[in-house]
Amino acid sequence: MPTCLVYSLRPSFLPSVSYRYRDVLSFPKTVAVHLSRGRITPWAALSTATPAAVKPDDGSVAYQHTLTVLHKTRSLLPRIFPSGQQSVPGIESLEFWHELLASAYNDLSPTRANVIRIAVYGCDDFSGAQELVTALLEEPFASESQKESVRTRWKSMPDDRGSMIIQDAPSPASGSLSIHSSWLQRFGVPIQVLELRPPTHDPWSFGDLSTSKALLAADVPIVVCNPTSTPLPSLLSSPSSSPLNHPNAILVVTSPIPSVALSRHVQSLRSYGAPTLFIDAARALTALRVISVEPSSPVAVQKYQNEFEGSNLSSLTETIASVIASKSAASNVVAAIHAQTARALIQDSLSACHSTLERAVRGVDEISERVSTLEDRVEEARARVGLEVFGAPGGKNGEEDEIQRAVNVAKRDVERVMNDLTWWRLLWRVDDVREIVGGAIDRAWCKDLEMKLTFHAGRLAALQQSLTTSSMALLASLPSPSPFCSPVLQNTLSQLVSAPAYPLDAAAFTAPLHSRRHQLRFPTARLHSAAQQTVLGMVGSTFAGLGVAWAGWAGQLGLFDMGMQMETAIAVGMLGAVAGVRWAAGRFEKAKKRWWQDWDRVGEGLARDLKTTLSRTMDDRVLIVSKTACSGLEQLAAERRDKIDELKYEVTVLEEELQRSN
């Protein structure tokens, strides 16, 4: 069985020595006797002197490369994280990472104190983090006052203080504890332990911002978790900028040494490379109490060894020693570890940049989805309105649409009046043709269609108000910190709403009806002129025929020589009169046909005008605000997406440079 006094405290970089229980007999007798008598502590037996610390050579390629990447990262952060009034508190804020990276830069400066920072954080009050620190610092053969100062170190601290600095050298700073501990001196480099209070809520959030800063800036962050009070899956699924992602991070699970199956299960839950140690700090404290009460009793020594070894506390010391030993080839171990911590902080900040950019991408996608929803409403309204107002193009199941039906109904009503305008009735109604036809047009011209258009104008006004309200609500949901808040776009929409042409009334749809009806005045005037010419032609032909007949009768009487018999002259006169009347009547019928052709052309033009007016009204009035809002937000989203892609590329480049500096 290995002895805790030697085996548990042997750093991994010392020469490999088998400290089995049988090797106690070969241990120097003087040391063994003093151990039994309490004159020499187990930590002092293996303590080493602290060497002088020297900063790394500034000409080192890796060191200079780390500084370069650090400067580039600090220059990139303001372009990704919001600042000023737009800054948001939390781990993804500009101030948070600027402070951490500034601290990392100071650690790399030659004037910075050479000390390795070990941060111990307990996930909750039941994690056993304080017991773990006590077991590490307390020495079984120390004076009672020193033991008491270690055990009651938090009682002298204010309740609002969240951390305590423990170090071997005296410090005038408040919130620090100076204690002579062989454990602090045994690693060959200056050690500073930062003990953090457990959080009051969200144990897997690593406390408040100050706690997160302390853990991320630590050279060796130690997270202590009690799986009975803090679920391991919640802790191990922490964000990318987690202290557990530090290359020197250590996860301590407060429990006895688990089975192989449990260890594999915990390893399967991990998304990082930090080692997981199962330590029973309470058992280590029990061992210390036992040896303190009876330091000369072999039974007590044996129980101390058994309990201390069973607590597995030595694995934590060995892991920390291995971290220090991994940098033993450097000219300055502390500076090399500080550079490693600086690279870890850079990687954490870049990971936070990735998280912020991914959240920004989700924000762009959300805006694009909301804009797409509004555009779907616009396109649906555009496609639905035409069918609702005019019906299906060309009619459904062979039926006429609303415009064709209205024109045909008006044509039938006017046709009855036109049929009454026969050639024989023109003699006493010739001067009233314009009024008769014009009045028939006024009475029959698409009255039902005009009423329907007035009704649909009200519906479109309600649709316009609904879409405008939705567009304004969409912009109002993007307050000032949002990159999609555009005062220019809001001002443009306000100008559109306040424009004189924006309000929708019935005249917007009925104007083509009146204009096309007004176009029928010219064909009607031409028909009136043709009627007058027809009457003149009939009267002239009749009088000419009567004149020929009279001339034949006068020749019969011998008044003058006609050159034809009376019967022939009368026949010629009557034939001329009938031919003239027939010619005049035919001319009037042709005039009416031309008038109906003009009617058909006006009806076709009315259909085009109404559909064009509806389309223009939808685009220029009903949908103008929504279309402008969607177009503006789509442009902002495209610009935002391009900027995010550019920043992602820069972050990726910095990550590649950081990998080359390792």
Side-chain angles (χ1 to χ4, degrees):
M1 178 181 303
T3 60
C4 176
L5 299 179
V6 178
Y7 175 79
S8 63
L9 303 180
R10 178 180 60 84
S12 60
F13 56 85
L14 291 180
S16 177
V17 180
S18 177
Y19 290 100
R20 300 288 182 181
Y21 178 73
R22 62 177 181 271
D23 295 333
V24 175
L25 298 177
S26 63
F27 202 70
K29 292 184 179 180
T30 55
V31 176
V33 171
H34 284 83
L35 285 174
S36 64
R37 295 179 180 178
R39 296 179 181 177
I40 299 179
T41 65
W43 310 108
L46 293 177
S47 63
T48 57
T50 302
V54 186
K55 279 297 169 181
D57 182 10
D58 290 345
S60 171
V61 176
Y63 180 77
Q64 293 296 334
H65 197 72
T66 301
L67 285 176
T68 301
V69 177
L70 179 61
H71 283 298
K72 290 182 178 180
T73 304
R74 293 181 66 183
S75 301
L76 177 63
L77 293 184
R79 299 170 54 194
I80 298 178
F81 296 116
S83 61
Q85 296 181 352
Q86 299 181 359
S87 178
V88 292
I91 197 172
E92 294 184 3
S93 64
L94 178 61
E95 290 75 12
F96 181 87
W97 290 108
H98 254 319
E99 183 175 345
L100 280 175
L101 294 180
S103 176
Y105 176 78
N106 293 333
D107 288 340
L108 298 177
S109 63
T111 58
R112 188 70 170 181
N114 292 313
V115 60
I116 294 179
R117 300 178 297 268
I118 300 177
V120 182
Y121 168 77
C123 294
D124 52 40
D125 293 329
F126 306 100
S127 63
Q130 294 186 8
E131 291 80 0
L132 178 66
V133 175
T134 301
L136 291 174
L137 299 180
E138 185 176 331
E139 300 182 4
F141 307 122
S143 62
E144 288 299 325
S145 61
Q146 183 175 347
K147 294 180 182 178
E148 189 66 19
S149 63
V150 174
R151 297 170 186 171
T152 61
R153 60 188 181 277
W154 280 103
K155 291 185 178 180
S156 60
M157 294 292 174
D159 295 336
D160 58 347
R161 188 167 189 86
S163 63
M164 175 190 298
I165 299 176
I166 305 174
Q167 57 187 2
D168 182 69
S171 175
S174 60
S176 62
L177 174 64
S178 299
I179 182 173
H180 180 72
S181 173
S182 299
W183 188 85
L184 295 175
Q185 300 174 355
R186 67 174 304 279
F187 297 103
V189 292
I191 299 295
Q192 183 184 84
V193 177
L194 178 64
E195 186 177 3
L196 302 169
R197 284 187 186 272
T200 57
H201 61 282
D202 291 342
W204 46 84
S205 65
F206 299 105
D208 54 12
L209 290 181
S210 60
T211 301
S212 298
K213 289 178 183 178
L215 285 173
L216 291 173
D219 298 313
V220 182
I222 301 174
V223 179
V224 186
C225 169
N226 188 342
T228 59
S229 57
T230 300
L232 280 175
S234 301
L235 178 66
L236 299 180
S237 61
S238 55
S240 57
S241 301
S242 167
L244 292 174
N245 291 323
H246 194 288
N248 300 332
I250 302 173
L251 174 62
V252 175
V253 179
T254 305
S255 69
I257 299 177
S259 62
V260 177
L262 181 58
S263 299
R264 291 178 178 176
H265 175 66
V266 174
Q267 292 176 358
S268 65
L269 296 175
R270 297 187 307 175
S271 58
Y272 53 90
T276 302
L277 306 179
F278 295 87
I279 298 177
D280 191 353
R283 192 172 180 181
L285 290 177
T286 301
L288 292 174
R289 302 296 186 271
V290 170
I291 197 65
S292 298
V293 174
E294 296 179 315
S296 59
S297 171
V299 177
V301 172
Q302 183 64 40
K303 185 176 181 181
Y304 164 75
Q305 293 175 349
N306 294 337
E307 293 295 328
F308 208 97
E309 180 183 358
S311 68
N312 199 32
L313 184 64
S314 60
S315 62
L316 179 59
T317 304
E318 293 175 355
T319 303
I320 297 175
S322 66
V323 170
I324 299 175
S326 65
K327 303 298 180 183
S328 60
S331 59
N332 188 339
V333 175
V334 177
I337 294 179
H338 283 177
Q340 186 181 32
T341 301
R343 289 190 292 270
L345 279 175
I346 295 173
Q347 181 59 58
D348 289 337
S349 65
L350 295 179
S351 298
C353 290
H354 274 300
S355 300
T356 301
L357 293 176
E358 290 299 329
R359 188 170 62 251
V361 170
R362 291 193 296 270
V364 173
D365 293 339
E366 180 183 356
I367 291 299
S368 299
E369 183 178 358
R370 295 174 66 183
V371 171
S372 178
T373 301
L374 184 58
E375 287 180 334
D376 290 342
R377 288 186 59 190
V378 170
E379 294 301 326
E380 180 185 359
R382 185 197 302 273
R384 188 184 67 248
V385 165
L387 298 177
E388 291 179 350
V389 176
F390 301 129
K396 183 178 180 182
N397 297 328
E399 298 178 359
E400 302 170 336
D401 61 12
E402 294 294 335
I403 302 175
Q404 293 174 342
R405 185 180 300 110
V407 172
N408 291 337
V409 170
K411 183 177 182 180
R412 287 195 296 270
D413 294 340
V414 175
E415 194 172 13
R416 288 194 293 267
V417 177
M418 294 292 288
N419 292 336
D420 291 339
L421 291 177
T422 58
W423 62 272
W424 63 86
R425 293 178 179 174
L426 292 179
L427 296 176
W428 59 87
R429 304 178 65 180
V430 63
D431 292 332
D432 300 330
V433 171
R434 180 181 300 173
E435 288 75 11
I436 293 172
V437 176
I441 294 173
D442 293 340
R443 291 189 303 271
W445 183 250
C446 303
K447 292 297 182 180
D448 293 339
L449 180 60
E450 185 174 1
M451 295 177 61
K452 290 180 180 180
L453 292 178
T454 303
F455 168 73
H456 286 295
R459 293 186 58 190
L460 291 182
L463 177 62
Q464 179 192 49
Q465 183 63 30
S466 175
L467 292 176
T468 300
T469 302
S470 300
S471 302
M472 292 299 185
L474 177 58
L475 292 182
S477 64
L478 306 172
S480 180
S482 172
F484 300 100
C485 179
S486 174
V488 176
L489 181 57
Q490 293 177 351
N491 183 47
T492 301
L493 297 185
S494 299
Q495 290 180 353
L496 292 175
V497 173
S498 59
Y502 176 76
L504 194 63
D505 51 9
F509 292 97
T510 58
L513 291 175
H514 301 296
S515 62
R516 286 296 177 174
R517 185 182 63 186
H518 183 74
Q519 288 181 354
L520 289 174
R521 292 183 180 180
F522 174 74
T524 303
R526 190 171 58 185
L527 179 64
H528 180 79
S529 177
Q532 291 178 337
Q533 293 176 3
T534 298
V535 172
L536 290 177
M538 289 189 300
V539 173
S541 299
T542 302
F543 278 103
L546 291 176
V548 172
W550 179 84
W553 175 76
Q556 184 69 27
L557 295 176
L559 297 179
F560 56 85
D561 187 8
M562 180 63 183
M564 67 177 63
Q565 297 181 0
M566 181 182 66
E567 292 81 0
T568 303
I570 293 175
V572 171
M574 293 180 61
L575 180 61
V578 172
V581 171
R582 180 69 186 85
W583 171 82
R587 185 177 181 183
F588 183 67
E589 292 299 326
K590 290 181 180 180
K592 289 200 294 184
K593 288 182 179 180
R594 288 195 300 269
W595 188 90
W596 282 118
Q597 291 175 355
D598 294 335
W599 171 280
D600 293 337
R601 285 192 294 269
V602 170
E604 294 173 358
L606 175 64
R608 291 193 302 268
D609 290 350
L610 288 176
K611 292 177 181 180
T612 302
T613 300
L614 177 61
S615 177
R616 186 172 58 250
T617 302
M618 292 292 295
D619 292 336
D620 297 345
R621 295 189 179 185
V622 179
L623 308 177
I624 182 63
V625 175
S626 299
K627 289 172 57 180
T628 304
C630 292
S631 176
L633 290 177
E634 284 179 346
Q635 182 178 359
L636 292 175
E639 294 175 355
R640 178 71 170 170
R641 198 180 298 276
D642 293 340
K643 184 178 180 181
I644 291 174
D645 292 340
E646 178 184 353
L647 294 175
K648 278 186 175 181
Y649 175 76
E650 295 186 23
V651 172
T652 303
V653 171
L654 285 179
E655 287 180 333
E656 294 175 354
E657 292 184 11
L658 183 62
Q659 291 295 327
R660 291 194 295 268
S661 67
N662 290 333

